[in-house]
Amino acid sequence: MATTSVERLADVRSKVEAGEPLSLVDGLRLCESRDIHTLGELANLVRERLHGRRAYYNINRHINYTNYCVLRCKFCSFYRPFDKKAAARRTPGVVHPDGGYELSVEDVVARAKEAYAHGATEVHIVGGLHPTLPFSYYTEMCSAIRETCPHLHIKAFTAIEIIHFARIAKPRLAIGGVLEKLREAGLGSLPGGGAEIFDDRVHDEAFKAKVGETEWFEVHRTAHEMGIFTNATMLYGHLETPAERIQHLIKLREHQEESLGSRKAHFNCVIPLSFIPQGSVLEHLPGPSGLDDLKTLALARLMCPNIPHIKAFWIMLSPKLAQVSLNWGVDDIDGTVVYYDITKREGDGTHQELTVDKLKRLIVEAGCKPVERDTLYRRVIREPATWRVEGEDWAVHYKGF
Ligand code: V47
């Protein structure tokens, strides 16, 4: 008699219930199973063990300081090549005829100030690897934000940018040296970008010129040793196989085990990023389906039970799918975002915003309890004109959203 997919997942269920780590084979069976209900249920079991029915959101602002980049990643529709001869004729702060832009430090600070005045607790700042901006541009950006917006958490620069800074700093710096200088200037934590898929084959086919997993992990290991919390992403739905996705998640879990055991900080969350093909060299690919998105989010929850949070980034998933995922292992739907340049679906502009009311409604309709968090997942106590972080003795005044 043929076994049903429910029976086939019975031993995976036992492992999840006992809190045992899942293997590559377990992960593959979850991926291949047509029993999507069991997959969602198991992922939710882990989610509820960690967070009950709480679902987190934050009030944040993304700032992408430049789209010029020395890399040519095939999945990326954001970057513009930089022509040094044309650069001399450019005016800072505007979009140039080649579609590129670079914000001045003042522009970045003005955006952060505006966000802070309207109640944001976090700025998420990332950009391309700009060939001529000096390291002082980045430290000055952080210190100016710190000075004008004292309690605004600066989550900035992917591991790839940190390595770029180590190379351009004069004199050159080690990764620890870059992180120390940025922390002194006001950096609070690192976002999870630039991880893509930890696999040499995919690396060589899709983002060959970019540093690989060894360097990505080195940055996050150094940050964790220094007590700087970080996030971790996985860009899926392009050239990778299901096994490569699962291996990626296992590598994150193994790194987390070491950080939890012997370092001062660790990964706060995993963000599976759904590949958006439009405008990239890989535009001919279909990108993940809704079901693939849900299965991948659930798989991230199941493969990485030692990483506290799984975030559904609604910008790439759509708010509707991010909402559904709250019952598929996800406990965090990111935040208000407001402006986003790195990916745009057809018809999207740079302005991509969800209001606090909309975020809360998505969460409540999914049967969850909305909790406003800061970047480090501390509860934010918000009044109509002030906010503070639970346990802290300061409060920030703001104008209202
Ligand atoms: O590093 C690039 C990815 C990342 C595409 O840490 C693409 O809280 C989909 O890392 N389709 C940037 N993804 C975004 C990111 C992030 C987002 C939200 C929260 C956090 C966090 C981090 O976006 C890049 C790259 O991996 N990306 N192109 C694309 N076409």
Side-chain angles (χ1 to χ4, degrees), residues 345-382:
R345 288 185 189 276
E346 227 146 12
D348 283 341
T350 298
H351 186 191
Q352 302 188 62
E353 177 170 11
L354 273 184
T355 60
V356 174
D357 282 348
K358 278 189 192 151
L359 283 166
K360 282 187 177 168
R361 204 185 106 204
L362 292 173
I363 292 172
V364 170
E365 277 186 3
C368 298
K369 184 177 176 297
V371 177
E372 186 186 341
R373 61 159 180 91
D374 76 347
T375 311
L376 303 177
Y377 290 87
R378 298 174 302 176
R379 190 183 285 265
V380 172
I381 319 268
R382 189 169 290 274

Side-chain angles (χ1 to χ4, degrees), residues 156-166 175 178-179 182 190 219:
F157 314 127
T158 65
I160 314 305
E161 288 159 276
I162 299 294
I163 291 166
H164 176 66
F165 302 163
I175 287 164
V178 170
L179 290 173
L182 290 170
L190 296 185
V219 171

Side-chain angles (χ1 to χ4, degrees), residues 197-208 238-241 244:
I197 287 282
F198 300 135
D199 179 85
D200 290 347
R201 180 194 69 81
V202 183
H203 175 266
D204 289 356
E205 281 186 35
F207 47 100
K208 196 171 173 54
H238 44 97
L239 300 175
E240 84 292 354
T241 63
E244 287 158 352

Side-chain angles (χ1 to χ4, degrees), residues 83-376:
D83 176 354
K84 278 195 180 150
K85 283 191 212 123
R89 301 190 296 275
R90 288 184 189 130
T91 326
V94 299
V95 177
H96 309 304
D98 59 9
Y101 69 86
E102 61 253 298
L103 301 182
S104 65
V105 167
E106 292 73 29
D107 287 334
V108 174
V109 175
R111 289 180 190 202
K113 261 175 90 170
E114 198 218 11
Y116 195 54
H118 287 95
T121 62
E122 168 192 285
V123 273
H124 178 145
I125 306 175
V126 293
L129 306 188
H130 194 288
T132 61
L133 288 172
F135 182 47
S136 56
Y137 168 83
Y138 306 96
T139 51
E140 279 165 21
M141 181 192 295
C142 290
S143 49
I145 295 173
R146 172 58 56 255
E147 211 166 285
T148 41
C149 316
H151 294 290
L152 185 63
H153 184 105
I154 305 173
K155 179 175 74 169
F157 314 127
T158 65
I160 314 305
E161 288 159 276
I162 299 294
I163 291 166
H164 176 66
F165 302 163
R167 291 175 178 164
I168 60 163
K170 291 194 174 91
R172 274 178 79 132
L173 286 168
I175 287 164
V178 170
L179 290 173
E180 202 48 74
K181 288 209 180 304
L182 290 170
R183 178 159 65 179
E184 276 166 22
L187 179 83
S189 64
L190 296 185
E196 324 315 359
I197 287 282
F198 300 135
D199 179 85
D200 290 347
R201 180 194 69 81
V202 183
H203 175 266
D204 289 356
E205 281 186 35
F207 47 100
K208 196 171 173 54
K210 197 176 217 169
V211 294
E213 71 180 82
T214 310
E215 292 84 354
W216 191 94
F217 276 114
E218 191 186 344
V219 171
H220 286 262
R221 185 180 315 110
T222 311
H224 294 174
E225 281 165 359
M226 293 169 62
I228 299 172
F229 286 87
T230 72
N231 292 338
T233 55
M234 170 173 76
L235 175 64
Y236 65 92
H238 44 97
L239 300 175
E240 84 292 354
T241 63
E244 287 158 352
R245 277 187 212 179
I246 297 163
Q247 287 288 20
H248 181 100
L249 295 169
I250 292 176
K251 285 175 188 176
L252 291 177
R253 180 177 79 203
E254 289 173 351
H255 182 98
Q256 179 78 340
E257 211 171 301
E258 288 176 33
S259 289
L260 289 172
S262 62
R263 300 178 188 133
K264 291 189 222 151
H266 53 78
F267 292 127
N268 270 329
C269 79
V270 182
I271 309 118
L273 296 170
S274 181
F275 172 52
I276 297 180
Q278 281 103 325
S280 76
V281 172
L282 301 177
E283 193 165 42
H284 55 284
L285 297 177
S289 66
L291 195 55
D292 194 9
D293 285 331
L294 279 179
K295 287 175 85 168
T296 307
L297 290 159
L299 221 91
R301 180 62 293 165
L302 286 163
M303 297 309 297
C304 301
N306 61 353
I307 302 184
H309 302 278
I310 302 295
K311 183 189 284 187
F313 190 42
W314 61 263
I315 289 274
M316 286 160 195
L317 293 165
S318 83
K320 290 181 185 184
L321 203 79
Q323 179 189 43
V324 175
S325 74
L326 291 171
N327 282 293
W328 280 68
V330 165
D331 62 279
D332 182 349
I333 55 169
D334 202 76
T336 42
V337 179
V338 188
Y339 293 102
Y340 200 71
D341 268 330
I342 296 179
T343 55
K344 293 178 196 120
R345 288 185 189 276
E346 227 146 12
D348 283 341
T350 298
H351 186 191
Q352 302 188 62
E353 177 170 11
L354 273 184
T355 60
V356 174
D357 282 348
K358 278 189 192 151
L359 283 166
K360 282 187 177 168
R361 204 185 106 204
L362 292 173
I363 292 172
V364 170
E365 277 186 3
C368 298
K369 184 177 176 297
V371 177
E372 186 186 341
R373 61 159 180 91
D374 76 347
T375 311
L376 303 177

Side-chain angles (χ1 to χ4, degrees), residues 2-14:
T3 52
T4 65
S5 51
V6 175
E7 285 161 7
R8 282 197 298 271
L9 292 180
D11 55 334
V12 179
R13 175 187 288 277
S14 311

